[in-house]
Short mmCIF file of all heavy atoms in Angstrom, two decimals:
data_model
loop_
_atom_site.label_atom_id
_atom_site.label_comp_id
_atom_site.label_asym_id
_atom_site.label_seq_id
_atom_site.Cartn_x
_atom_site.Cartn_y
_atom_site.Cartn_z
N SER A 198 -18.12 -6.92 -36.02
CA SER A 198 -16.92 -7.49 -35.44
C SER A 198 -17.30 -8.22 -34.23
O SER A 198 -18.39 -7.99 -33.65
CB SER A 198 -15.85 -6.39 -35.17
OG SER A 198 -16.43 -5.60 -34.03
N PHE A 199 -16.41 -9.11 -33.78
CA PHE A 199 -16.65 -9.86 -32.58
C PHE A 199 -16.86 -8.92 -31.37
O PHE A 199 -17.75 -8.97 -30.51
CB PHE A 199 -15.48 -10.80 -32.27
CG PHE A 199 -15.87 -12.17 -32.18
CD1 PHE A 199 -16.59 -12.90 -33.15
CD2 PHE A 199 -15.69 -12.93 -30.93
CE1 PHE A 199 -16.90 -14.20 -33.10
CE2 PHE A 199 -16.02 -14.27 -30.85
CZ PHE A 199 -16.59 -14.93 -31.93
N LYS A 200 -16.02 -7.91 -31.34
CA LYS A 200 -16.11 -6.87 -30.22
C LYS A 200 -17.43 -6.10 -30.11
O LYS A 200 -17.94 -5.96 -29.10
CB LYS A 200 -14.90 -5.92 -30.38
CG LYS A 200 -14.81 -4.89 -29.14
CD LYS A 200 -13.73 -3.94 -29.37
CE LYS A 200 -13.62 -2.97 -28.10
NZ LYS A 200 -14.84 -2.31 -27.87
N THR A 201 -17.84 -5.74 -31.25
CA THR A 201 -19.14 -4.96 -31.36
C THR A 201 -20.26 -5.85 -30.89
O THR A 201 -21.16 -5.49 -30.09
CB THR A 201 -19.28 -4.50 -32.83
OG1 THR A 201 -18.31 -3.66 -33.26
CG2 THR A 201 -20.67 -3.72 -32.84
N PHE A 202 -20.24 -7.09 -31.25
CA PHE A 202 -21.29 -8.07 -30.92
C PHE A 202 -21.25 -8.20 -29.34
O PHE A 202 -22.23 -8.08 -28.61
CB PHE A 202 -21.11 -9.42 -31.45
CG PHE A 202 -22.18 -10.42 -31.22
CD1 PHE A 202 -23.20 -10.64 -32.04
CD2 PHE A 202 -22.11 -11.20 -30.05
CE1 PHE A 202 -24.22 -11.49 -31.79
CE2 PHE A 202 -23.14 -12.02 -29.71
CZ PHE A 202 -24.14 -12.34 -30.63
N ILE A 203 -20.00 -8.49 -28.75
CA ILE A 203 -19.97 -8.61 -27.28
C ILE A 203 -20.28 -7.42 -26.56
O ILE A 203 -20.99 -7.46 -25.57
CB ILE A 203 -18.50 -9.13 -27.01
CG1 ILE A 203 -18.24 -10.43 -27.58
CG2 ILE A 203 -18.29 -9.15 -25.39
CD1 ILE A 203 -16.78 -10.96 -27.53
N ASP A 204 -19.96 -6.23 -27.09
CA ASP A 204 -20.24 -4.95 -26.44
C ASP A 204 -21.74 -4.71 -26.27
O ASP A 204 -22.20 -3.87 -25.46
CB ASP A 204 -19.58 -3.76 -27.10
CG ASP A 204 -18.13 -3.73 -26.97
OD1 ASP A 204 -17.58 -4.43 -26.02
OD2 ASP A 204 -17.45 -2.94 -27.67
N ASN A 205 -22.61 -5.35 -27.15
CA ASN A 205 -24.01 -5.09 -27.15
C ASN A 205 -24.80 -6.28 -26.61
O ASN A 205 -25.96 -6.21 -26.72
CB ASN A 205 -24.47 -4.85 -28.69
CG ASN A 205 -24.02 -3.45 -29.18
OD1 ASN A 205 -24.66 -2.45 -28.78
ND2 ASN A 205 -22.94 -3.42 -30.04
N TRP A 206 -24.11 -7.28 -26.15
CA TRP A 206 -24.76 -8.46 -25.68
C TRP A 206 -24.45 -8.66 -24.07
O TRP A 206 -23.22 -8.58 -23.78
CB TRP A 206 -24.26 -9.80 -26.42
CG TRP A 206 -24.83 -11.05 -25.92
CD1 TRP A 206 -24.31 -11.80 -24.94
CD2 TRP A 206 -26.01 -11.68 -26.30
NE1 TRP A 206 -25.07 -12.93 -24.69
CE2 TRP A 206 -26.19 -12.84 -25.59
CE3 TRP A 206 -27.05 -11.26 -27.31
CZ2 TRP A 206 -27.31 -13.72 -25.75
CZ3 TRP A 206 -28.05 -12.25 -27.45
CH2 TRP A 206 -28.17 -13.39 -26.69
N ASN A 207 -25.48 -8.84 -23.32
CA ASN A 207 -25.29 -9.01 -21.91
C ASN A 207 -24.38 -7.84 -21.33
O ASN A 207 -23.41 -8.09 -20.74
CB ASN A 207 -24.61 -10.44 -21.57
CG ASN A 207 -25.01 -10.93 -20.17
OD1 ASN A 207 -25.63 -10.18 -19.45
ND2 ASN A 207 -24.61 -12.06 -19.87
N ILE A 208 -24.80 -6.67 -21.57
CA ILE A 208 -24.01 -5.48 -21.29
C ILE A 208 -23.66 -5.37 -19.84
O ILE A 208 -22.37 -5.09 -19.53
CB ILE A 208 -24.80 -4.17 -21.85
CG1 ILE A 208 -25.03 -4.25 -23.31
CG2 ILE A 208 -24.04 -3.07 -21.34
CD1 ILE A 208 -25.94 -3.22 -23.84
N GLN A 209 -24.53 -5.62 -18.94
CA GLN A 209 -24.30 -5.35 -17.60
C GLN A 209 -23.36 -6.33 -17.01
O GLN A 209 -22.68 -6.07 -16.03
CB GLN A 209 -25.66 -5.32 -16.77
CG GLN A 209 -26.66 -4.23 -17.16
CD GLN A 209 -26.03 -2.88 -17.26
OE1 GLN A 209 -25.24 -2.55 -16.32
NE2 GLN A 209 -26.29 -2.12 -18.30
N THR A 210 -23.30 -7.57 -17.64
CA THR A 210 -22.35 -8.51 -17.12
C THR A 210 -20.90 -8.09 -17.45
O THR A 210 -19.94 -8.21 -16.75
CB THR A 210 -22.58 -10.00 -17.74
OG1 THR A 210 -23.85 -10.42 -17.19
CG2 THR A 210 -21.38 -10.91 -17.46
N GLY A 211 -20.84 -7.50 -18.73
CA GLY A 211 -19.64 -6.86 -19.09
C GLY A 211 -19.14 -5.79 -18.20
O GLY A 211 -17.94 -5.58 -17.88
N VAL A 212 -20.06 -4.86 -17.70
CA VAL A 212 -19.77 -3.86 -16.82
C VAL A 212 -19.32 -4.45 -15.49
O VAL A 212 -18.28 -3.89 -14.83
CB VAL A 212 -21.07 -2.98 -16.55
CG1 VAL A 212 -20.81 -2.02 -15.33
CG2 VAL A 212 -21.48 -2.29 -17.74
N TRP A 213 -19.92 -5.55 -15.05
CA TRP A 213 -19.53 -6.17 -13.77
C TRP A 213 -18.16 -6.81 -13.84
O TRP A 213 -17.31 -6.60 -12.98
CB TRP A 213 -20.54 -7.27 -13.47
CG TRP A 213 -20.03 -8.22 -12.35
CD1 TRP A 213 -19.90 -7.87 -10.99
CD2 TRP A 213 -19.66 -9.53 -12.48
NE1 TRP A 213 -19.53 -9.03 -10.33
CE2 TRP A 213 -19.37 -10.02 -11.19
CE3 TRP A 213 -19.55 -10.46 -13.59
CZ2 TRP A 213 -18.87 -11.38 -10.98
CZ3 TRP A 213 -19.17 -11.78 -13.31
CH2 TRP A 213 -18.95 -12.27 -11.97
N LEU A 214 -17.83 -7.37 -14.97
CA LEU A 214 -16.50 -8.03 -15.22
C LEU A 214 -15.36 -7.01 -15.16
O LEU A 214 -14.34 -7.17 -14.60
CB LEU A 214 -16.40 -8.77 -16.54
CG LEU A 214 -17.25 -10.14 -16.50
CD1 LEU A 214 -17.34 -10.65 -17.87
CD2 LEU A 214 -16.64 -11.12 -15.52
N LYS A 215 -15.67 -5.84 -15.80
CA LYS A 215 -14.78 -4.76 -15.86
C LYS A 215 -14.52 -4.11 -14.45
O LYS A 215 -13.43 -3.84 -14.07
CB LYS A 215 -15.27 -3.67 -16.79
CG LYS A 215 -14.30 -2.43 -17.00
CD LYS A 215 -14.95 -1.49 -18.02
CE LYS A 215 -14.02 -0.26 -18.25
NZ LYS A 215 -13.94 0.57 -17.13
N MET A 216 -15.60 -4.08 -13.76
CA MET A 216 -15.58 -3.41 -12.45
C MET A 216 -14.80 -4.17 -11.40
O MET A 216 -13.95 -3.74 -10.59
CB MET A 216 -16.99 -3.15 -11.91
CG MET A 216 -17.14 -2.64 -10.41
SD MET A 216 -16.53 -0.83 -10.27
CE MET A 216 -17.92 -0.07 -11.10
N VAL A 217 -15.02 -5.61 -11.38
CA VAL A 217 -14.43 -6.46 -10.36
C VAL A 217 -13.20 -7.02 -10.72
O VAL A 217 -12.49 -7.68 -9.84
CB VAL A 217 -15.40 -7.38 -9.80
CG1 VAL A 217 -16.73 -6.70 -9.33
CG2 VAL A 217 -15.71 -8.47 -10.92
N CYS A 218 -12.90 -7.08 -12.07
CA CYS A 218 -11.69 -7.94 -12.49
C CYS A 218 -10.83 -7.09 -13.44
O CYS A 218 -9.59 -6.89 -13.08
CB CYS A 218 -12.19 -9.20 -13.11
SG CYS A 218 -10.72 -10.23 -13.57
N TYR A 219 -11.31 -6.70 -14.61
CA TYR A 219 -10.40 -6.14 -15.60
C TYR A 219 -9.74 -4.90 -15.11
O TYR A 219 -8.45 -4.79 -15.31
CB TYR A 219 -11.24 -5.81 -16.80
CG TYR A 219 -10.46 -5.42 -18.03
CD1 TYR A 219 -9.89 -6.42 -18.89
CD2 TYR A 219 -10.15 -4.11 -18.27
CE1 TYR A 219 -9.02 -6.06 -19.98
CE2 TYR A 219 -9.27 -3.77 -19.41
CZ TYR A 219 -8.83 -4.76 -20.24
OH TYR A 219 -8.00 -4.33 -21.30
N ASP A 220 -10.43 -4.02 -14.53
CA ASP A 220 -9.86 -2.71 -14.03
C ASP A 220 -8.86 -2.90 -12.85
O ASP A 220 -8.15 -1.91 -12.46
CB ASP A 220 -10.86 -1.69 -13.73
CG ASP A 220 -11.55 -1.09 -14.98
OD1 ASP A 220 -11.00 -1.34 -16.05
OD2 ASP A 220 -12.65 -0.48 -14.84
N ARG A 221 -8.89 -4.01 -12.20
CA ARG A 221 -8.15 -4.23 -11.00
C ARG A 221 -6.96 -5.21 -11.08
O ARG A 221 -6.17 -5.36 -10.19
CB ARG A 221 -9.06 -4.73 -9.85
CG ARG A 221 -10.25 -3.76 -9.57
CD ARG A 221 -11.25 -4.29 -8.62
NE ARG A 221 -12.45 -3.45 -8.55
CZ ARG A 221 -12.61 -2.38 -7.74
NH1 ARG A 221 -11.68 -1.96 -7.00
NH2 ARG A 221 -13.67 -1.66 -7.86
N ALA A 222 -6.99 -5.96 -12.17
CA ALA A 222 -5.94 -6.95 -12.36
C ALA A 222 -4.53 -6.26 -12.54
O ALA A 222 -4.39 -5.39 -13.43
CB ALA A 222 -6.17 -7.82 -13.52
N PRO A 223 -3.44 -6.63 -11.78
CA PRO A 223 -2.22 -6.00 -11.97
C PRO A 223 -1.54 -6.41 -13.31
O PRO A 223 -0.77 -5.58 -13.84
CB PRO A 223 -1.41 -6.52 -10.75
CG PRO A 223 -2.08 -7.86 -10.46
CD PRO A 223 -3.58 -7.67 -10.66
N ARG A 224 -1.92 -7.60 -13.92
CA ARG A 224 -1.41 -7.98 -15.09
C ARG A 224 -2.35 -9.07 -15.64
O ARG A 224 -3.16 -9.59 -14.94
CB ARG A 224 0.00 -8.45 -15.06
CG ARG A 224 0.17 -9.62 -14.11
CD ARG A 224 1.68 -10.05 -13.92
NE ARG A 224 2.45 -8.90 -13.27
CZ ARG A 224 3.69 -8.93 -13.11
NH1 ARG A 224 4.35 -9.88 -13.60
NH2 ARG A 224 4.27 -7.91 -12.55
N TYR A 225 -2.16 -9.38 -16.98
CA TYR A 225 -3.05 -10.41 -17.65
C TYR A 225 -4.56 -10.21 -17.40
O TYR A 225 -5.18 -11.07 -17.06
CB TYR A 225 -2.61 -11.81 -17.09
CG TYR A 225 -1.23 -12.05 -17.17
CD1 TYR A 225 -0.43 -12.39 -15.96
CD2 TYR A 225 -0.46 -11.96 -18.33
CE1 TYR A 225 0.93 -12.60 -15.97
CE2 TYR A 225 0.91 -12.20 -18.35
CZ TYR A 225 1.55 -12.60 -17.12
OH TYR A 225 2.94 -12.68 -17.17
N ALA A 226 -4.83 -8.96 -17.53
CA ALA A 226 -6.29 -8.62 -17.16
C ALA A 226 -7.31 -9.34 -18.06
O ALA A 226 -8.32 -9.88 -17.64
CB ALA A 226 -6.57 -7.11 -17.37
N THR A 227 -6.95 -9.43 -19.46
CA THR A 227 -7.89 -10.13 -20.24
C THR A 227 -8.09 -11.62 -19.95
O THR A 227 -9.13 -12.07 -19.94
CB THR A 227 -7.41 -10.02 -21.75
OG1 THR A 227 -7.29 -8.64 -22.12
CG2 THR A 227 -8.28 -10.64 -22.73
N ALA A 228 -6.95 -12.21 -19.62
CA ALA A 228 -7.03 -13.70 -19.34
C ALA A 228 -7.74 -13.92 -18.03
O ALA A 228 -8.59 -14.87 -17.94
CB ALA A 228 -5.65 -14.27 -19.28
N LEU A 229 -7.50 -13.12 -17.02
CA LEU A 229 -8.22 -13.24 -15.70
C LEU A 229 -9.77 -13.00 -15.89
O LEU A 229 -10.52 -13.63 -15.33
CB LEU A 229 -7.61 -12.36 -14.71
CG LEU A 229 -6.20 -12.75 -14.28
CD1 LEU A 229 -5.56 -11.65 -13.23
CD2 LEU A 229 -6.17 -14.06 -13.50
N THR A 230 -10.01 -11.94 -16.74
CA THR A 230 -11.47 -11.62 -16.91
C THR A 230 -12.08 -12.84 -17.65
O THR A 230 -13.28 -13.22 -17.27
CB THR A 230 -11.65 -10.49 -17.77
OG1 THR A 230 -10.91 -9.31 -17.04
CG2 THR A 230 -13.01 -10.04 -17.88
N PHE A 231 -11.42 -13.41 -18.55
CA PHE A 231 -11.98 -14.66 -19.22
C PHE A 231 -12.23 -15.68 -18.32
O PHE A 231 -13.27 -16.39 -18.35
CB PHE A 231 -10.95 -15.06 -20.31
CG PHE A 231 -11.23 -16.54 -20.80
CD1 PHE A 231 -12.20 -16.84 -21.68
CD2 PHE A 231 -10.34 -17.47 -20.25
CE1 PHE A 231 -12.36 -18.13 -22.11
CE2 PHE A 231 -10.60 -18.77 -20.71
CZ PHE A 231 -11.57 -19.11 -21.62
N VAL A 232 -11.23 -15.97 -17.35
CA VAL A 232 -11.38 -17.12 -16.35
C VAL A 232 -12.66 -16.80 -15.48
O VAL A 232 -13.48 -17.66 -15.22
CB VAL A 232 -10.15 -17.24 -15.54
CG1 VAL A 232 -10.41 -18.20 -14.37
CG2 VAL A 232 -9.08 -17.71 -16.38
N LEU A 233 -12.80 -15.63 -15.03
CA LEU A 233 -13.91 -15.26 -14.11
C LEU A 233 -15.16 -15.36 -14.91
O LEU A 233 -16.20 -15.92 -14.31
CB LEU A 233 -13.75 -13.78 -13.56
CG LEU A 233 -14.86 -13.34 -12.78
CD1 LEU A 233 -15.09 -14.20 -11.55
CD2 LEU A 233 -14.66 -11.85 -12.27
N SER A 234 -15.24 -14.97 -16.11
CA SER A 234 -16.48 -15.06 -16.91
C SER A 234 -16.88 -16.51 -17.10
O SER A 234 -18.10 -16.87 -16.92
CB SER A 234 -16.29 -14.33 -18.20
OG SER A 234 -17.43 -14.50 -19.05
N ALA A 235 -15.88 -17.34 -17.30
CA ALA A 235 -16.25 -18.80 -17.60
C ALA A 235 -16.69 -19.40 -16.29
O ALA A 235 -17.67 -20.20 -16.27
CB ALA A 235 -14.89 -19.55 -18.02
N LEU A 236 -16.04 -19.05 -15.10
CA LEU A 236 -16.49 -19.69 -13.91
C LEU A 236 -17.84 -19.26 -13.57
O LEU A 236 -18.70 -19.92 -12.99
CB LEU A 236 -15.57 -19.33 -12.74
CG LEU A 236 -14.20 -19.96 -12.75
CD1 LEU A 236 -13.28 -19.37 -11.72
CD2 LEU A 236 -14.28 -21.56 -12.54
N TRP A 237 -18.27 -17.95 -13.77
CA TRP A 237 -19.47 -17.41 -13.48
C TRP A 237 -20.62 -18.06 -14.29
O TRP A 237 -21.67 -18.38 -13.80
CB TRP A 237 -19.49 -15.85 -13.64
CG TRP A 237 -20.79 -15.25 -13.44
CD1 TRP A 237 -21.36 -14.88 -12.25
CD2 TRP A 237 -21.76 -14.81 -14.47
NE1 TRP A 237 -22.58 -14.35 -12.39
CE2 TRP A 237 -22.90 -14.21 -13.77
CE3 TRP A 237 -21.80 -14.81 -15.78
CZ2 TRP A 237 -23.95 -13.68 -14.43
CZ3 TRP A 237 -22.85 -14.25 -16.46
CH2 TRP A 237 -24.01 -13.81 -15.73
N HIS A 238 -20.31 -18.35 -15.52
CA HIS A 238 -21.34 -18.88 -16.42
C HIS A 238 -21.67 -20.30 -16.03
O HIS A 238 -22.82 -20.71 -16.18
CB HIS A 238 -20.92 -18.83 -17.94
CG HIS A 238 -21.08 -17.63 -18.62
ND1 HIS A 238 -20.25 -16.52 -18.65
CD2 HIS A 238 -22.29 -17.07 -19.22
CE1 HIS A 238 -20.75 -15.51 -19.37
NE2 HIS A 238 -21.95 -15.84 -19.70
N GLY A 239 -20.71 -21.09 -15.51
CA GLY A 239 -21.04 -22.41 -15.06
C GLY A 239 -20.02 -23.42 -15.50
O GLY A 239 -19.00 -23.08 -15.91
N VAL A 240 -20.40 -24.68 -15.27
CA VAL A 240 -19.41 -25.70 -15.52
C VAL A 240 -19.88 -26.67 -16.70
O VAL A 240 -19.30 -27.74 -16.86
CB VAL A 240 -19.24 -26.65 -14.38
CG1 VAL A 240 -18.67 -25.73 -13.20
CG2 VAL A 240 -20.68 -27.17 -13.83
#
């Protein structure tokens, strides 16, 4: 599954995204995490 792949790839970046964004977003956590991940990766 896509989720299993992502959970095993770049694991510590996933931990960081969860720590600073997903667990703290008041709403739309998935969308905001996606935006932060995209910005962090580059342009």
Side-chain angles (χ1 to χ4, degrees):
S198 70
F199 238 60
K200 182 181 184 303
T201 302
F202 185 96
I203 293 171
D204 287 346
N205 289 283
W206 177 271
N207 207 355
I208 296 170
Q209 300 306 321
T210 293
V212 172
W213 170 70
L214 289 168
K215 182 176 182 293
M216 174 72 71
V217 305
C218 184
Y219 189 85
D220 285 347
R221 302 174 190 273
R224 58 186 65 186
Y225 311 121
T227 300
L229 290 174
T230 303
F231 161 79
V232 171
L233 176 59
S234 178
L236 289 174
W237 177 78
H238 276 92
V240 296

